[in-house]
Amino acid sequence: MSHSDPGIVGELVEIPIEEVTLDGTLSVPDDPQGLVVFAHGSGSSRKSPRNNAVAAQLNDAGHATLLFDLLTEEEDVVHENRFDVSLLVQRLVSATDWVRGEPAVADLPVGYFGASTGAAAALRAAVEADAPVDAVVSRGGRVDLASPVADDVTAACLFIVGGDDPDVLELNRDVYDELGCEKRLEVIEGAGHLFEGPGELDQVAEYAAEWFTEHLG
């Protein structure tokens, strides 16, 4: 999947957070409507091909995107860090604070797109962020890791799950029932956890773009 607009070039950014610096890519289309900050899953990074494919479609739909590494290379080697949701939440909140200070996107409403464990971080960060987060989209999310804050989520939440990912689907249904915010659950029939089948990731990106366009701005 490629940018249909070759004019959107991602800018490499360095995000200083406490004692570490995290690498990221900030992509800003002309006259952006919202900013979507991505939270990748365990063992992944800002270079995740799936998240980059979704980000390209969000850029085409008029949204700026920030993809960044939640962990440094040294931290990612330690397997426990990948599932330390509290650490991931802190990183996501800090990166959101940082990007809100970037002139190109400073005044935009913010949403989160989280995959796998990143979706848990996104839900919790939406509750803990210093300024409002208006929408969260979860792709194959381990949202159960954020179930203690489900009651507190005010951002509009879209959960996208593969029909052939039964364990994660069950976890998503449970947390979905606990949410008191505006919400939707989309099941992509036949899709597994990684949405690797033909057209499945396009479907994810379409649902996400519609959700963010409706709820950001």
Side-chain angles (χ1 to χ4, degrees):
M1 205 184 312
S2 61
H3 282 296
S4 58
D5 177 1
I8 301 169
V9 178
E11 176 196 356
L12 297 177
V13 294
E14 293 188 337
I15 305 169
I17 295 175
E18 293 179 359
E19 68 288 351
V20 302
T21 299
L22 302 174
D23 293 327
T25 306
L26 179 62
S27 303
V28 185
D30 292 336
D31 197 22
Q33 178 188 336
L35 168 66
V36 179
V37 181
F38 279 70
H40 59 71
S42 66
S44 188
S45 73
R46 72 182 188 286
K47 297 175 180 170
S48 157
R50 282 180 282 276
N51 281 352
N52 275 278
V54 172
Q57 285 194 227
L58 293 181
N59 294 153
D60 290 345
H63 300 290
T65 54
L66 174 67
L67 294 99
F68 74 104
D69 295 335
L70 288 164
L71 301 170
T72 65
E73 285 181 18
E74 294 76 24
E75 291 170 334
D76 192 51
V77 175
V78 181
H79 188 71
E80 289 72 33
N81 287 337
R82 298 178 178 184
F83 291 90
D84 183 348
V85 177
S86 297
L87 173 63
L88 304 182
V89 170
Q90 176 230 319
R91 293 286 165 85
L92 187 52
V93 169
S94 298
T96 307
D97 285 345
W98 174 85
V99 77
R100 286 184 197 270
E102 289 296 286
V105 295
D107 300 322
L108 297 178
V110 172
Y112 287 146
F113 182 97
S116 196
T117 48
L123 280 176
R124 285 181 44 182
V127 173
E128 295 179 27
D130 298 324
V133 173
D134 294 328
V136 174
V137 174
S138 159
R139 170 180 68 79
R142 283 296 308 278
V143 291
D144 53 296
L145 298 172
S147 70
V149 302
D151 283 351
D152 304 319
V153 177
T154 56
C157 290
L158 170 63
F159 290 178
I160 306 171
V161 191
D164 287 357
D165 192 9
D167 295 346
V168 171
L169 180 54
E170 187 177 346
L171 295 170
N172 272 257
R173 289 194 197 282
D174 290 345
V175 176
Y176 183 83
D177 289 341
E178 295 170 24
L179 292 171
C181 55
E182 185 177 345
K183 59 185 179 178
R184 203 162 94 215
L185 174 66
E186 290 285 359
V187 180
I188 298 182
E189 294 306 334
H193 188 58
L194 297 178
F195 299 91
E196 289 175 308
E200 291 171 359
L201 202 58
D202 283 323
Q203 189 77 62
V204 170
E206 276 175 36
Y207 283 140
E210 287 169 9
W211 194 255
F212 287 127
T213 297
E214 186 180 339
H215 295 287
L216 299 184

